[in-house]
């Protein structure tokens, strides 16, 4: 990835077949299961170029001038939605945030009708968060615009996994061989799902840890299409020697009666604490996608402690989303 010294924009070379175009094959970003390692590496390199832009006093570049991005969130969001919005604005795109609660969805308009309406208004990229798994995939089959999945049900949250990979790379030399422990409400976590795909494709050694009721059925012996990870119900086993410890939010709104005996017992057995982290690698980093239930899945002292990179994850969300906009629109070739 080359960066223009005059505009500080990431530049694609002017050869007839730019190398990025050969690597990048995606029109939509639905999950990381269909990403190649070369594509993930390209996202990391492009994010680095965007990061450089964001370190400048004037962060705005004209890369997406004339393009329109619409965000369509059927679920609440703080980090994801605002970082997509900031990223689009930094690249000079026109951006519209459709608030579902004040749209015609409240009059019964279907998802497909809403998408077709947004496309008729000129959207080039639609960023969608939806409570139902598969909604972004359905959307991608009905519109010509590029669809970015900003989180669908329990299924996937690919842009979160990409910013998590980028954050790990800021602290570790390589993802290959990295011992990553993902601890918490695995069954309901689209973040865990997409991270398992991304991390295993990049060669990390992934362990997932939860009470058996919060682990997907059959995760020890997954279907051929799903990556193999280590599985434990013991948090100390998961943390021992880990380079990265990733906590997950206990999704209180998605719990059904009986999955955990009580929040107090869950916290006693599965909270990431300073004492437990003493058995991790010396330079362990602690991650969490947010929002955090402090002192339930992770101790307050850890959230705000020196090993925590939780705020860096949020910051990196803007650069990653800028990189994805850039790659989806073919970049700003020298013309
Ligand atoms: N990590 C994440 O998806 O956070 P938001 O729900 O605030 O977007």
């Amino acid at each position: 990835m080359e960066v223009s010294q005059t505009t500080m924009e990431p530049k694609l070379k002017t050869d007839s077949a730019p190398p990025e175009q050969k690597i990048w094959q995606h029109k939509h970003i639905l999950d990381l299961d269909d990403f190649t390692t070369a594509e993930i590496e390209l996202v990391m390199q492009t994010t680095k170029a965007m990061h450089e832009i964001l370190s400048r006093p004037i962060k705005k570049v004209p890369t997406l001038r004339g393009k329109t991005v619409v965000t369509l969130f059927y679920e609440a969001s703080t980090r994801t939605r605002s970082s997509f919005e900031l990223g689009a604005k930094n690249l000079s795109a026109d951006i519209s945030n459709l608030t579902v609660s004040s749209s015609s969805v409240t009059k019964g308009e279907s998802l497909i009708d809403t998408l077709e309406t947004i496309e008729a208004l000129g959207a080039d990229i639609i960023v969608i968060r939806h409570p139902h798994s598969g909604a972004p995939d359905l959307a991608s089959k009905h519109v010509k615009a590029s669809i970015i999945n900003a989180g669908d049900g329990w299924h996937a949250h690919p842009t979160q996994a990409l910013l998590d990979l980028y954050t790990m790379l800021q602290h570790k030399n390589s993802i290959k061989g990295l011992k990553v422990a993902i601890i918490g409400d695995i069954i309901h976590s689209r973040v865990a799902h997409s991270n398992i795909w991304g991390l295993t494709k990049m060669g990390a050694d992934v362990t997932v840890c939860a009470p058996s009721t919060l682990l997907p059925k059959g995760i020890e012996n997954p279907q051929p299409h799903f990556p193999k990870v280590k599985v434990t119900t013991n948090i100390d086993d998961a943390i021992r020697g880990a380079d990265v410890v990733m906590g997950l939010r206990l999704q209180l709104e998605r719990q059904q009666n009986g999955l955990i005996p009580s929040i107090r017992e869950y916290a006693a057995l599965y909270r990431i604490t300073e004492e437990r982290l003493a058995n991790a690698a010396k330079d362990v980093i602690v991650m969490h996608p947010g929002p955090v239930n402090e002192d339930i899945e992770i101790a307050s002292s850890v959230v705000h402690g020196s090993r925590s990179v939780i705020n860096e994850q949020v910051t990196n969300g803007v650069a990653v989303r800028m990189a994805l906009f850039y790659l989806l629109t073919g970049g700003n070739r020298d013309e």
Side-chain angles (χ1 to χ4, degrees), residues 124-144:
D124 299 291
I125 299 177
I126 301 172
V127 180
I128 179 166
R129 171 170 287 190
H130 202 282
H132 295 152
S133 300
D137 184 53
L138 180 74
S140 72
K141 293 178 168 67
H142 281 83
V143 292
K144 292 190 195 76

Side-chain angles (χ1 to χ4, degrees), residues 145-173:
S146 287
I147 298 291
I148 302 182
N149 180 3
D152 62 329
W154 305 358
H155 172 233
H157 195 347
T159 65
Q160 177 71 42
L162 289 167
L163 75 87
D164 290 343
L165 284 170
Y166 185 75
T167 307
M168 287 179 215
L169 280 172
Q170 285 185 313
H171 291 268
K172 311 287 175 186
N173 291 332

Side-chain angles (χ1 to χ4, degrees), residues 41 44 48 165-178 202 243-244 283 285:
E41 277 162 8
M44 298 297 108
K48 199 169 172 195
L165 284 170
Y166 185 75
T167 307
M168 287 179 215
L169 280 172
Q170 285 185 313
H171 291 268
K172 311 287 175 186
N173 291 332
S174 166
I175 302 294
K176 195 171 170 62
L178 210 59
M202 301 308 284
D243 301 299
V244 177
D283 60 349
I285 57 169

Side-chain angles (χ1 to χ4, degrees), residues 10 17 102-103 218 282 295 303 333:
S102 59
S103 75
K282 276 201 171 59
D295 288 323
V303 173
R333 290 180 201 89

Side-chain angles (χ1 to χ4, degrees), residues 111-130:
L111 172 63
I112 300 303
D113 284 347
T114 303
L115 288 162
E116 286 175 353
T117 303
I118 291 170
E119 187 164 57
L121 292 169
D124 299 291
I125 299 177
I126 301 172
V127 180
I128 179 166
R129 171 170 287 190
H130 202 282

Side-chain angles (χ1 to χ4, degrees), residues 64-320:
L64 258 65
R65 189 177 288 154
K67 300 284 183 192
T68 300
V69 175
V70 176
T71 66
L72 177 60
F73 277 52
Y74 289 79
E75 274 187 353
S77 167
T78 304
R79 296 150 199 78
T80 310
R81 182 162 164 160
S82 51
S83 60
F84 271 115
E85 181 175 355
L86 287 169
K89 285 180 173 166
N90 289 337
L91 295 177
S92 303
D94 295 318
I95 169 109
S96 172
N97 297 304
L98 198 143
T99 307
V100 168
S101 59
S102 59
S103 75
S104 292
V105 171
T106 58
K107 300 177 196 162
E109 186 174 70
S110 72
L111 172 63
I112 300 303
D113 284 347
T114 303
L115 288 162
E116 286 175 353
T117 303
I118 291 170
E119 187 164 57
L121 292 169
D124 299 291
I125 299 177
I126 301 172
V127 180
I128 179 166
R129 171 170 287 190
H130 202 282
H132 295 152
S133 300
D137 184 53
L138 180 74
S140 72
K141 293 178 168 67
H142 281 83
V143 292
K144 292 190 195 76
S146 287
I147 298 291
I148 302 182
N149 180 3
D152 62 329
W154 305 358
H155 172 233
H157 195 347
T159 65
Q160 177 71 42
L162 289 167
L163 75 87
D164 290 343
L165 284 170
Y166 185 75
T167 307
M168 287 179 215
L169 280 172
Q170 285 185 313
H171 291 268
K172 311 287 175 186
N173 291 332
S174 166
I175 302 294
K176 195 171 170 62
L178 210 59
K179 288 184 75 174
V180 181
I182 305 177
I183 299 167
D185 189 353
I186 307 285
I187 195 169
H188 298 115
S189 178
R190 54 199 180 203
V191 174
H193 180 115
S194 290
N195 261 297
I196 288 170
W197 276 112
L199 285 163
T200 54
K201 277 176 188 269
M202 301 308 284
D205 173 0
V206 180
T207 300
V208 297
C209 172
S212 53
T213 48
L214 295 184
L215 288 167
K217 274 197 177 63
I219 191 165
E220 296 90 346
N221 298 300
Q223 300 297 311
H225 65 272
F226 196 77
K228 184 106 178 109
V229 293
K230 293 177 186 152
V231 182
T232 179
T233 55
N234 183 310
I235 189 169
D236 295 314
D237 288 347
I239 288 181
R240 195 171 301 113
D243 301 299
V244 177
V245 172
M246 183 184 293
L248 298 174
R249 186 170 70 87
L250 183 64
Q251 300 199 18
L252 302 168
E253 75 277 22
R254 290 188 169 125
Q255 298 299 332
Q256 288 158 9
N257 287 344
L259 286 183
I260 52 171
S262 69
I263 290 176
R264 180 195 273 216
E265 187 167 340
Y266 176 83
L269 291 173
Y270 288 97
R271 181 168 45 211
I272 299 163
T273 61
E274 299 285 358
E275 295 73 28
R276 286 176 166 144
L277 288 169
N279 295 319
K282 276 201 171 59
D283 60 349
V284 66
I285 57 169
V286 178
M287 308 180 74
H288 191 297
V292 176
N293 298 308
E294 286 195 22
D295 288 323
I296 295 180
E297 67 258 9
I298 184 165
S300 234
S301 57
V302 173
V303 173
H304 304 288
S306 60
R307 299 171 173 116
S308 168
V309 297
I310 295 170
N311 286 337
E312 290 172 45
Q313 288 173 264
V314 177
T315 303
N316 290 336
V318 179
V320 163

